[in-house]
């Protein structure tokens, strides 16, 4: 086994290896390993070249995120690499991690080990001893040199979190194709008959019959209009402004899908911008919060969502740790995706010194219609992943 120092490198003696990140249990920080497949230009080709907990396998099969495991007094998170399966234009595989709920300076025993996946033998170990305020870290990189693969110990941190690391490698380029036109037959719900007027009248919940609806916290609206076809395509627009003029606020809108029991299914955010074959598409990251109109939008083809998707929870989080007391005019609004008409609006009237907020919930009713509920619940969390459990609680409530 080779003990590595920052900047040192070793040749790989195995073509299939496991990069195992490890740390002590004595930390409140949630560490997540990731990998970026990088070309000679130093960038990924698309966000499909980013492997992490919500996109755990590369299409080539060369890189997989194998997840966390407890071990002794610590935890590990593992990325596996098969160099023989890497595509020809990939020249580096960068192994990184993000810290949610704190910094890497609060993570004791931080290290990476390289294991021969076949024999289990430890090939090398690199201990991180100088982490301070970083919220994302590059532990090392596999790289191609003179036709052979090697590993270099890097130990570079980012105070700007996963967003800063991603930007460096080109992840924030929004290269997702546009969603399919709303006229596509496959995107129209099967239960598309107009709702009977009697059914709408019997419901105590507000509907869209009187036009645009403004919600207050914990209020809900049924997304139906008497005599009209059910909505098949909607856009959730989310916006905010810096509380102090001239400052930038880098917040990120996301959506988490749940089944009927409140089990998390998928997360769509600025790095993983498409899910369910394009039924959910994220517009991309806004780094400043400046300007008029929606800062980020998430488009949803309601009729194309799988049957097990019963709830969508929309969140806003601060990767860089800025609190919502530094934000003003935060809102979400639901648009008809076919006409861009605003249907429902919720203005966040309060703020708390936290880094995440559950904004709204869309829920599928037994008859196939949808409702929207204003949440406005603040929680501590720099990524949507930290909002999974609070979101699950929100979908289990009426």
């Amino acid at each position: 086994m080779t003990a590595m120092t920052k900047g040192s490198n070793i040749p790989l003696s195995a073509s299939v290896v496991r990069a195992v990140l490890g740390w002590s249990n004595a930390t409140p920080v949630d560490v997540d390993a990731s990998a970026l497949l990088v070309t000679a230009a130093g960038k990924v080709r698309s966000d499909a070249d980013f492997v992490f907990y919500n996109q755990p396998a590369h299409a080539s099969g060369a890189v997989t995120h194998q997840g966390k495991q407890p071990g002794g007094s610590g935890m590990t998170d593992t990325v596996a690499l098969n160099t023989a399966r890497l595509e020809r234009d990939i020249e580096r595989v960068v192994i990184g991690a993000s810290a949610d709920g704190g910094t890497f300076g609060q993570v004791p025993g931080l290290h990476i080990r390289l294991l021969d996946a076949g024999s289990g033998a430890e090939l090398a170990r690199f201990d991180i001893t100088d982490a301070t305020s970083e919220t994302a870290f590059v532990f090392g990189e596999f790289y191609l040199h003179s036709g052979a693969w090697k590993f270099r110990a890097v130990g570079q941190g980012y105070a700007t979190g996963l967003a800063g690391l991603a930007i460096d490698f080109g992840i924030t380029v929004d290269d997702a194709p546009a969603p399919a036109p709303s006229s596509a037959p496959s995107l129209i719900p099967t239960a598309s008959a107009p709702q009977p007027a009697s059914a709408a009248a019997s419901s105590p919940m507000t509907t869209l019959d009187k036009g645009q609806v403004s919600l207050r916290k914990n209020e809900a609206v049924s997304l139906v209009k008497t005599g009209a076809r059910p909505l098949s395509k909607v856009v959730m627009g989310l916006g905010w402004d810096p509380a102090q003029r001239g400052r930038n606020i880098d917040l990120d809108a996301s959506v988490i899908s749940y089944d009927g029991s409140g089990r998390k299914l998928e997360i769509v955010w600025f790095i993983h911008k498409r899910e369910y074959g394009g039924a959910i598409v994220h517009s991309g990251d806004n780094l400043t919060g400046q300007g008029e109109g929606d800062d980020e939008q998430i488009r949803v083809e309601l009729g194309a969502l799988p049957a097990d998707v019963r709830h969508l929870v929309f969140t806003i989080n601060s990767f860089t740790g800025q609190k919502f007391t530094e934000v003003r005019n935060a809102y979400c609004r639901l648009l008809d995706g076919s006409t861009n008409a605003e249907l429902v609006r919720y203005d966040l009237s309060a703020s708390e010194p936290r880094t995440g907020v559950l904004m709204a919930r869309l829920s599928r009713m037994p008859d196939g219609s949808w409702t929207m509920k204003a949440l406005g619940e603040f929680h501590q969390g720099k990524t949507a992943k930290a909002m999974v459990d609070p979101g699950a609680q929100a979908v289990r409530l009426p």
Side-chain angles (χ1 to χ4, degrees):
M1 188 273 291
T2 301
M4 304 189 70
T5 58
K6 184 179 293 189
S8 63
N9 63 79
I10 61 168
L12 284 189
S13 57
S15 62
V16 184
V17 294
R18 299 171 68 231
V20 182
L21 277 59
W23 62 93
S24 168
N25 271 338
T27 177
V29 181
D30 188 13
V31 177
D32 289 294
S34 57
L36 299 110
L37 286 73
V38 179
T39 67
K43 303 289 185 181
V44 297
R45 298 165 299 184
S46 73
D47 59 3
D49 287 339
F50 184 57
V51 175
F52 65 116
Y53 63 86
N54 203 41
Q55 188 166 270
H58 192 261
S60 66
V63 182
T64 57
H65 177 251
Q66 297 186 335
K68 295 179 185 173
Q69 293 289 335
S73 61
M75 287 288 295
T76 64
D77 199 2
T78 300
V79 174
L81 168 68
N82 185 339
T83 58
R85 301 189 68 173
L86 286 169
E87 295 156 305
R88 294 181 64 181
D89 53 344
I90 298 300
E91 296 193 1
R92 281 196 293 156
V93 177
V94 178
I95 304 298
S98 59
D100 193 12
T103 69
F104 277 105
Q106 299 171 276
V107 182
L110 195 62
H111 65 273
I112 183 172
R113 295 185 303 140
L114 299 188
L115 306 180
D116 183 325
S119 66
E122 185 170 307
L123 306 176
R125 177 181 173 122
F126 173 40
D127 287 276
I128 307 293
T129 58
D130 58 351
T132 56
S133 61
E134 301 88 352
T135 49
F137 229 93
V138 173
F139 284 73
E141 61 180 11
F142 298 93
Y143 65 100
L144 190 61
H145 179 70
S146 299
W149 284 92
K150 305 179 75 173
F151 178 81
R152 178 185 293 114
V154 176
Q156 175 187 345
Y158 292 76
T160 51
L162 186 61
L165 188 156
I167 290 168
D168 256 14
F169 291 97
I171 285 289
T172 55
V173 176
D174 187 7
D175 56 3
S182 59
S183 58
S186 61
L187 301 182
I188 297 177
T190 54
S192 57
Q195 184 187 25
S198 58
S202 64
S203 173
M205 187 178 294
T206 302
T207 69
L208 300 177
D209 281 352
K210 294 184 179 181
Q212 191 264 347
V213 175
S214 293
L215 294 178
R216 292 179 293 182
K217 184 174 180 176
N218 293 323
E219 290 183 338
V221 58
S222 176
L223 303 180
V224 298
K225 189 171 185 179
T226 303
R229 292 166 62 89
L231 287 169
S232 63
K233 179 180 178 181
V234 296
V235 178
M236 183 67 79
L238 301 106
W240 53 85
D241 293 313
Q244 298 180 23
R245 187 171 299 176
R247 290 195 62 190
N248 290 339
I249 292 289
D250 180 12
L251 303 182
D252 297 287
S254 309
V255 59
I256 311 169
S257 63
Y258 297 87
D259 67 10
S261 68
R263 179 175 63 92
K264 188 270 290 183
L265 299 175
E266 302 290 349
I267 302 176
V268 175
W269 56 327
F270 80 96
I271 288 176
H272 183 65
K273 297 191 286 289
R274 289 172 61 86
E275 190 52 71
Y276 302 122
I280 301 179
V281 178
H282 192 294
S283 65
D285 194 18
N286 180 307
L287 300 177
T288 68
Q290 306 284 357
E292 299 297 324
D294 301 335
D295 290 298
E296 295 180 15
Q297 291 187 333
I298 299 173
R299 298 179 177 273
V300 183
E301 301 278 0
L302 297 173
L305 292 171
D308 61 339
V309 177
R310 300 297 301 275
H311 306 279
L312 300 173
V313 174
F314 294 83
T315 77
I316 303 177
N317 293 86
S318 171
F319 271 119
T320 52
Q322 293 162 304
K323 307 295 193 294
F324 273 87
T325 47
E326 302 177 54
V327 177
R328 63 182 176 88
N329 300 332
Y331 69 87
C332 65
R333 63 186 190 126
L334 193 73
L335 311 177
D336 184 323
S338 300
T339 65
N340 281 330
E342 183 174 304
L343 304 174
V344 185
R345 186 180 181 97
Y346 170 48
D347 291 292
L348 196 63
S349 58
S351 64
E352 294 181 17
R354 300 195 181 192
T355 54
V357 61
L358 303 178
M359 287 296 292
R361 180 192 79 192
L362 295 185
S363 297
R364 193 196 317 242
M365 298 293 100
D367 66 354
S369 65
W370 289 78
T371 64
M372 175 176 167
K373 181 179 180 181
L375 297 176
E377 298 178 9
F378 291 91
H379 297 274
Q380 197 65 23
K382 297 179 183 179
T383 70
K385 184 184 177 185
M387 313 298 277
V388 168
D389 289 343
Q393 295 176 16
V395 304
R396 294 184 183 117
L397 296 174

